[in-house]
Amino acid sequence: MTAYDCDLNPQKKRVREWFGFGRRAESEPEQLATLCSNLRIACPGSRAERIASMAEFLLKYELDVNPFTLAIAFDYLTDSDPMLVRLIDQREDMGEPITLEWLEKICRDSSRDPGLAMLTKLIDKLEKGIDALGETTSAARTATREYGSALEEQAEKLEISQNPELPIGDLIKLIRTMVARTVDMEKELSRSERQTQALRRSLEDARRSANEDYLTGLPNRRAFEKIFAIEHREARAALDPLVVAFCDIDLFKRINDAHGHDTGDRVLKAVAEKLSCISTDRCFVARHGGEEFVILFRGKTLQEASRLLDKAREELASRRMIDRKTKEPIGRVSFSAGMADVFSFPNPRAALKAADDALYQAKELGRNQIALAMN
């Protein structure tokens, strides 16, 4: 499981480094406190003040630094989500901890999409502007190169037909100067193109972050809802079967309580890895939130999809995991699942609910098994 340690997650690493973590020997809380102080001294009253406030929010509740918690902090501090503000304030008044698991739960229960809709709209606008800039720059560079080639050709013709009685020498010098300037201009435009391409790649990274679960690297709930709508429409038109499944890690809270959240994170990533093994261009796996995953099977009947998922369940349950830090056995890690034939229900939302109900049935029947929804 060490290959999936959260410190190796590239997205999380970039976010932490952006906040200055991992660059000194200070502890993370000390680095966070230092960041807040330095930001306020260097840039009082600017956007840095908001960043410092976000960092203090994470420090106050001992939350890790990642895109999800930053979005939560932003929405809380800017009152972008009044429901979130009220729930956090109520929980704090009750003396209950504000944990990552609790935040994920309330976001999942309320179908909340923290900060990502705004981010996606911004990315869309920027990408359109960058595409237009890239096209303009490319066209300008091509025109400049062609203009320079034409000038060079004219200079060569003048040299060949030079008449000593005419002041052609000065004209040739002028043309040569203009050619040199077009070469410099082409170099600058070429550099602008490279910068535009780099910015486009950065935006693509941001878009992936908006649709990617920060811990497991799987697509997140937002990405699943998009692909579910597309697959439902296309499968219905092609008369393909479509099956949806909810998977939930059994007794996950017990693992967290006994071994800590770091071990819980490793378990989440191990389950994500196992489920990813069945992922293809016809099978879409995503983390729905918390310890719950969702899978979409295109082109397979309910029974075929059930056999495929059950094999993954058996393989996972046959493993005996060990906490690499303490060397203590974690024991068997298993999941329960509920599955539904999407087109046996009036709409996609009803199919999701049926799969979720089947999941709870599997839990009630003893866990570590799959239950099939009946319409």
Side-chain angles (χ1 to χ4, degrees):
M1 291 189 297
T2 54
Y4 291 87
D5 191 279
C6 67
D7 288 339
L8 299 181
N9 185 307
Q11 178 188 337
K12 180 177 176 182
K13 183 178 180 182
R14 287 196 300 271
V15 175
R16 289 163 59 85
E17 288 178 349
W18 188 79
F19 266 78
F21 296 151
R23 298 176 184 168
R24 301 192 302 275
E26 293 181 44
S27 67
E28 188 163 296
E30 289 173 336
Q31 292 181 51
L32 199 53
T34 301
L35 170 71
C36 298
S37 176
N38 290 342
L39 282 172
R40 287 199 165 92
I41 292 172
C43 309
S46 70
R47 291 182 181 178
E49 174 73 24
R50 178 172 292 172
I51 296 174
S53 298
M54 291 167 63
E56 287 174 337
F57 178 91
L58 302 184
L59 180 62
K60 177 181 179 180
Y61 297 119
E62 298 181 354
L63 297 170
D64 199 3
V65 179
N66 56 59
F68 174 77
T69 55
L70 288 172
I72 290 286
F74 177 85
D75 286 351
Y76 178 83
L77 293 168
T78 59
D79 287 328
S80 299
D81 189 334
M83 175 66 74
L84 173 73
V85 174
R86 185 165 66 254
L87 289 173
I88 290 177
D89 289 345
Q90 287 176 351
R91 189 169 177 85
E92 187 172 27
D93 291 342
M94 294 168 60
E96 297 291 332
I98 308 297
T99 64
L100 179 62
E101 290 74 15
W102 178 78
L103 288 170
E104 287 182 332
K105 182 179 184 301
I106 63 171
C107 289
R108 183 171 69 253
D109 293 346
S110 63
S111 299
R112 183 178 172 275
D113 191 10
L116 294 181
M118 185 181 298
L119 173 62
T120 302
K121 289 181 180 178
L122 176 61
I123 291 172
D124 288 340
K125 286 185 67 175
L126 285 172
E127 282 187 337
K128 288 178 182 178
I130 289 171
D131 288 341
L133 174 62
E135 291 173 3
T136 301
T137 304
S138 179
R141 185 167 64 86
T142 300
T144 301
R145 184 173 60 248
E146 292 174 351
Y147 177 61
S149 298
L151 286 175
E152 183 65 31
E153 184 179 345
Q154 291 300 318
E156 290 175 357
K157 289 180 179 178
L158 287 171
E159 284 180 330
I160 293 172
S161 61
Q162 185 170 359
N163 185 334
E165 296 181 359
L166 298 175
I168 295 179
D170 292 339
L171 181 59
I172 292 175
K173 288 181 182 180
L174 177 61
I175 293 175
R176 294 289 187 197
T177 301
M178 293 173 66
V179 168
R181 289 181 178 176
T182 58
V183 170
D184 290 340
M185 186 182 300
E186 185 181 352
K187 289 179 180 178
E188 283 297 312
L189 289 170
S190 180
R191 185 170 66 87
S192 296
E193 275 191 294
R194 291 194 299 272
Q195 291 173 337
T196 301
Q197 290 167 0
L199 182 55
R200 185 182 288 111
R201 288 193 295 271
S202 295
L203 285 176
E204 289 171 356
D205 288 342
R207 183 181 292 281
R208 281 194 297 272
S209 296
N211 290 283
E212 182 181 283
D213 174 58
Y214 63 90
L215 180 64
T216 64
L218 289 175
N220 57 18
R221 177 175 180 170
R222 175 187 178 84
F224 167 76
E225 289 178 348
K226 286 182 178 179
I227 198 68
F228 189 23
I230 295 171
E231 291 293 317
H232 181 267
R233 182 174 61 252
E234 293 182 354
R236 182 172 57 187
L239 300 180
D240 285 341
L242 189 64
V243 174
V244 67
F246 276 121
C247 304
D248 189 88
I249 301 175
D250 295 324
L251 303 174
F252 183 69
K253 186 177 185 301
R254 184 180 298 178
I255 296 173
N256 267 340
D257 291 343
H259 300 279
H261 293 296
D262 286 345
T263 298
D265 287 347
R266 294 188 184 97
V267 168
L268 279 167
K269 286 181 277 190
V271 175
E273 176 190 10
K274 175 54 63 180
L275 293 176
S276 294
C277 291
I278 64 176
S279 177
T280 65
D281 59 345
R282 306 277 283 181
C283 176
F284 183 84
V285 180
R287 185 183 178 196
H288 202 251
E291 64 269 27
E292 193 171 70
F293 299 84
V294 62
I295 309 175
L296 198 60
F297 299 88
R298 169 92 177 265
K300 292 191 180 296
T301 65
L302 185 59
Q303 288 70 31
E304 290 170 338
S306 174
R307 285 194 293 271
L308 188 60
L309 183 57
D310 202 43
K311 182 181 177 183
R313 180 197 59 78
E314 289 179 351
E315 291 175 354
L316 179 68
S318 67
R319 296 174 56 181
R320 293 297 181 269
M321 299 184 184
I322 297 175
D323 187 331
R324 296 294 176 86
K325 289 185 177 180
T326 65
K327 306 302 180 184
E328 295 179 3
I330 299 173
R332 184 181 72 181
V333 173
S334 64
F335 65 78
S336 301
M339 307 184 72
D341 179 347
V342 175
F343 293 120
S344 294
F345 297 87
N347 55 63
R349 194 57 54 189
L352 285 173
K353 185 179 186 308
D356 197 37
D357 291 343
L359 167 61
Y360 281 99
Q361 181 185 357
K363 293 281 189 181
E364 291 174 355
L365 292 174
R367 302 184 181 89
N368 190 28
Q369 58 185 284
I370 297 174
L372 305 183
M374 299 300 171
N375 59 335

